[in-house]
Amino acid sequence: MSQKTESTSHSTKGAYVTGGQEFTRDTNYIEDRITRDGAASGDGGPGWPVEPGRYRLVAARACPWANRTVIVRRLLGLEDVISLGQPGPTHDARSWTFDLDPGGADPVLGIERIQEAYFRRFPGYPRGITVPAIVDVPSGQVVTNDYAQITLDFSTEWAGYHRPGAPDLYPEHLREEIDAVNRRVFTEVNNGVYRCGFAGSQAAYDSAFDRLWTALDWLEERLTGQRYLVGDTITEADVRLFTTLVRFDAVYHGHFKCNRQKLSEMPMLWAYARDLFQTPGFGDTIDFVQIKQHYYLVHEDINPAGIVPRGPEPGEWLTAHNREALGGRPFGDGTAPGPVRAGEEVAAGHAAA
């Protein structure tokens, strides 16, 4: 097992505010990987071989980091080889719970909280109990919660089990550019909205706000002349940006005070986001009700009354975007995924309609 450690601070929510009142995300994850050769980790820990049916992805619909893994799993057609467990939209200090499942327990793992899978491997695990996490079903132990690596490994290590027509989300000739775009999107946008929302001082907030909107303006300009972030097909970079954009007007604009503009007021980004939303594998994973419940109920320090807003109208995500005029092929030489797997559909009334 390879696990990053940090002695200065930790949080069960995977984030903290420093003495300087600036939000900092705890990026110390369990770095174990599931690989084709099942090689042991660098510190002599166990190896985890690719093996259909052995692992369960635990990914809450509400969480943007977990949402990425659900999208990539669906685009690549890995539903038959990696099962999916979905906690409810809220959690407490002890972790996410399977409160939506019958009896309040995951039907495969038999646990009420994802925390139990962490503790089975690391008793008293001191770091963030986060999703997404991959659990080894036979032992009930967590394998990894390194969300950035999980999706890359779905594209590469699990390639032998992709569906016919699966897109190449991480093409070798574009990886350097994808990685560069991903770094900026993560620091300035994916994490940037949290830096605004959890700022502990006006100065920290002002700095975070300026950084976020500098990056969003860069993306608006970048997407003016091209349909996707890198190349002419959907890649890992698009998945990572999408899960923040789809939550922007519903949560980040008001709840996190990212309110210079709404996403719907940025012509290129709004059209780009709707283009992806209407692409099979993206919008059909989005549960707007759970997303709002998560942020507005869990963040009691920001929203002590626990009021969940009714808007915005999700049907706007289905309006025409006209991005086809820029060319590009969503799935390259591949094809769109088929219907959502039975039992994994977004609940009626929770999606755009």
Short mmCIF file of all heavy atoms in Angstrom, two decimals, residues 16-24 195-196 198-205 208:
data_model
loop_
_atom_site.label_atom_id
_atom_site.label_comp_id
_atom_site.label_asym_id
_atom_site.label_seq_id
_atom_site.Cartn_x
_atom_site.Cartn_y
_atom_site.Cartn_z
N TYR A 16 -9.37 21.45 4.58
CA TYR A 16 -9.25 22.22 5.80
C TYR A 16 -8.94 23.67 5.45
O TYR A 16 -8.58 24.00 4.33
CB TYR A 16 -8.15 21.66 6.71
CG TYR A 16 -6.80 21.56 6.05
CD1 TYR A 16 -5.87 22.59 6.15
CD2 TYR A 16 -6.44 20.42 5.32
CE1 TYR A 16 -4.63 22.50 5.54
CE2 TYR A 16 -5.21 20.32 4.71
CZ TYR A 16 -4.29 21.36 4.83
OH TYR A 16 -3.07 21.26 4.22
N VAL A 17 -9.10 24.57 6.43
CA VAL A 17 -8.75 25.97 6.28
C VAL A 17 -7.51 26.21 7.11
O VAL A 17 -7.47 25.89 8.30
CB VAL A 17 -9.90 26.89 6.73
CG1 VAL A 17 -9.47 28.35 6.66
CG2 VAL A 17 -11.13 26.66 5.87
N THR A 18 -6.48 26.74 6.50
CA THR A 18 -5.21 26.96 7.18
C THR A 18 -5.30 28.14 8.12
O THR A 18 -6.28 28.88 8.14
CB THR A 18 -4.10 27.22 6.16
OG1 THR A 18 -4.37 28.48 5.52
CG2 THR A 18 -4.03 26.13 5.12
N GLY A 19 -4.22 28.36 8.87
CA GLY A 19 -4.17 29.49 9.77
C GLY A 19 -4.32 30.81 9.04
O GLY A 19 -4.78 31.80 9.59
N GLY A 20 -3.92 30.85 7.77
CA GLY A 20 -4.05 32.04 6.95
C GLY A 20 -5.44 32.19 6.36
O GLY A 20 -5.67 33.06 5.53
N GLN A 21 -6.35 31.30 6.76
CA GLN A 21 -7.75 31.36 6.36
C GLN A 21 -7.98 31.10 4.88
O GLN A 21 -8.95 31.53 4.30
CB GLN A 21 -8.36 32.71 6.76
CG GLN A 21 -8.32 32.97 8.26
CD GLN A 21 -8.94 34.29 8.63
OE1 GLN A 21 -8.61 35.32 8.07
NE2 GLN A 21 -9.86 34.26 9.59
N GLU A 22 -7.09 30.36 4.26
CA GLU A 22 -7.28 29.96 2.88
C GLU A 22 -7.59 28.47 2.82
O GLU A 22 -6.92 27.66 3.47
CB GLU A 22 -6.02 30.24 2.05
CG GLU A 22 -6.14 29.79 0.60
CD GLU A 22 -4.88 30.06 -0.21
OE1 GLU A 22 -4.09 30.92 0.19
OE2 GLU A 22 -4.70 29.38 -1.24
N PHE A 23 -8.62 28.12 2.09
CA PHE A 23 -9.01 26.72 1.95
C PHE A 23 -7.90 25.93 1.26
O PHE A 23 -7.35 26.36 0.25
CB PHE A 23 -10.29 26.64 1.12
CG PHE A 23 -10.65 25.24 0.70
CD1 PHE A 23 -11.35 24.39 1.54
CD2 PHE A 23 -10.28 24.76 -0.56
CE1 PHE A 23 -11.69 23.10 1.14
CE2 PHE A 23 -10.61 23.47 -0.97
CZ PHE A 23 -11.31 22.65 -0.11
N THR A 24 -7.59 24.77 1.82
CA THR A 24 -6.60 23.87 1.22
C THR A 24 -7.19 22.48 1.17
O THR A 24 -7.69 21.98 2.19
CB THR A 24 -5.30 23.85 2.05
OG1 THR A 24 -4.78 25.17 2.17
CG2 THR A 24 -4.26 22.96 1.37
N ARG A 195 -12.27 26.82 -3.05
CA ARG A 195 -11.43 27.84 -2.45
C ARG A 195 -12.23 29.11 -2.20
O ARG A 195 -12.03 29.80 -1.20
CB ARG A 195 -10.22 28.12 -3.35
CG ARG A 195 -9.11 28.89 -2.65
CD ARG A 195 -7.95 29.19 -3.58
NE ARG A 195 -7.25 27.97 -3.97
CZ ARG A 195 -7.25 27.46 -5.20
NH1 ARG A 195 -7.93 28.06 -6.16
NH2 ARG A 195 -6.58 26.37 -5.47
N CYS A 196 -13.17 29.42 -3.09
CA CYS A 196 -14.07 30.56 -2.86
C CYS A 196 -15.05 30.26 -1.72
O CYS A 196 -15.22 31.05 -0.79
CB CYS A 196 -14.86 30.88 -4.13
SG CYS A 196 -13.92 31.62 -5.48
N PHE A 198 -15.09 28.17 0.78
CA PHE A 198 -14.61 27.92 2.14
C PHE A 198 -13.53 28.90 2.57
O PHE A 198 -12.81 28.65 3.55
CB PHE A 198 -14.10 26.49 2.26
CG PHE A 198 -15.20 25.46 2.20
CD1 PHE A 198 -15.31 24.62 1.11
CD2 PHE A 198 -16.12 25.35 3.22
CE1 PHE A 198 -16.33 23.68 1.04
CE2 PHE A 198 -17.14 24.41 3.17
CZ PHE A 198 -17.25 23.57 2.07
N ALA A 199 -13.39 30.00 1.86
CA ALA A 199 -12.42 31.02 2.26
C ALA A 199 -12.73 31.50 3.68
O ALA A 199 -13.90 31.72 4.03
CB ALA A 199 -12.45 32.19 1.28
N GLY A 200 -11.68 31.68 4.48
CA GLY A 200 -11.88 32.09 5.85
C GLY A 200 -11.65 33.57 6.10
O GLY A 200 -11.70 34.02 7.24
N SER A 201 -11.41 34.33 5.03
CA SER A 201 -11.24 35.77 5.17
C SER A 201 -11.61 36.43 3.87
O SER A 201 -11.64 35.79 2.81
CB SER A 201 -9.79 36.11 5.54
OG SER A 201 -8.93 35.90 4.43
N GLN A 202 -11.86 37.73 3.92
CA GLN A 202 -12.18 38.46 2.70
C GLN A 202 -11.02 38.42 1.72
O GLN A 202 -11.22 38.24 0.51
CB GLN A 202 -12.52 39.92 3.03
CG GLN A 202 -13.03 40.71 1.83
CD GLN A 202 -14.40 40.24 1.37
OE1 GLN A 202 -15.31 40.10 2.18
NE2 GLN A 202 -14.55 39.96 0.08
N ALA A 203 -9.81 38.55 2.21
CA ALA A 203 -8.64 38.54 1.33
C ALA A 203 -8.49 37.18 0.64
O ALA A 203 -8.18 37.12 -0.56
CB ALA A 203 -7.37 38.88 2.11
N ALA A 204 -8.70 36.10 1.39
CA ALA A 204 -8.60 34.77 0.79
C ALA A 204 -9.67 34.56 -0.26
O ALA A 204 -9.42 33.99 -1.33
CB ALA A 204 -8.71 33.70 1.88
N TYR A 205 -10.88 35.04 0.05
CA TYR A 205 -11.97 34.92 -0.92
C TYR A 205 -11.68 35.75 -2.17
O TYR A 205 -11.86 35.26 -3.30
CB TYR A 205 -13.28 35.37 -0.29
CG TYR A 205 -14.39 35.59 -1.30
CD1 TYR A 205 -15.04 34.51 -1.90
CD2 TYR A 205 -14.77 36.88 -1.68
CE1 TYR A 205 -16.04 34.71 -2.84
CE2 TYR A 205 -15.76 37.09 -2.61
CZ TYR A 205 -16.40 36.01 -3.19
OH TYR A 205 -17.38 36.20 -4.12
N ALA A 208 -9.16 33.98 -4.32
CA ALA A 208 -9.73 32.78 -4.92
C ALA A 208 -10.69 33.14 -6.05
O ALA A 208 -10.71 32.50 -7.11
CB ALA A 208 -10.44 31.96 -3.86
#
